[in-house]
Amino acid sequence: MTMAEQVLWKQLRGSKLGVHFRRQHVVGMYIVDFVSLKNKLVIEVDGEYHTDPNQQISDIERTAYLQRKGFRVIRFDNEQVLTELESVMSVIIKSLIV
């Protein structure tokens, strides 16, 4: 896991939010960073390479696939997780309520 993924995992693991998350979990043809299967919520933490145009196309296809499988997908970049953790957690909590 990247440093940002480790930081976020510390916040998600052990059902700290009242929701069980799995990390590096297979969903169909992809391995997602974090997922709550019960809530059908996928959380992706994107590193620098996600700014590459080809990777952005892959990310769009990946998100569309996961959405077709019934998952909501939220994405954060590494910098957001490392510098704005409180707001990242707020977005995640709000996504769990929906």
Side-chain angles (χ1 to χ4, degrees):
M1 286 194 296
T2 66
M3 179 63 74
E5 289 170 340
Q6 290 175 35
V7 166
L8 188 55
W9 180 237
K10 285 182 184 177
Q11 301 299 312
L12 299 175
R13 65 191 261 188
S15 300
K16 289 181 183 170
L17 298 178
V19 175
H20 179 74
F21 278 94
R22 297 171 186 251
R23 66 181 171 95
Q24 299 297 301
H25 186 77
V26 176
V27 177
M29 55 193 252
Y30 294 103
I31 299 174
V32 299
D33 292 333
F34 306 103
V35 63
S36 169
L37 295 173
K38 181 180 177 185
N39 295 80
K40 303 284 277 190
L41 178 65
V42 169
I43 302 170
E44 297 280 39
V45 180
D46 296 339
E48 180 88 20
Y49 68 96
H50 288 271
T51 60
D52 176 79
N54 291 326
Q55 185 59 46
Q56 289 176 342
I57 291 168
S58 294
D59 288 344
I60 290 168
E61 293 168 354
R62 176 185 180 105
T63 297
Y65 173 85
L66 293 167
Q67 289 172 334
R68 285 193 304 275
K69 294 291 185 185
F71 288 88
R72 289 172 292 129
V73 180
I74 53 177
R75 301 183 94 86
F76 303 101
D77 63 43
N78 284 344
E79 191 67 20
Q80 282 177 290
V81 173
L82 294 173
T83 63
E84 303 169 28
L85 185 58
E86 190 172 312
S87 64
V88 165
M89 293 308 298
S90 178
V91 170
I92 292 170
I93 290 166
K94 287 176 185 173
S95 296
L96 290 169
I97 294 170
V98 174

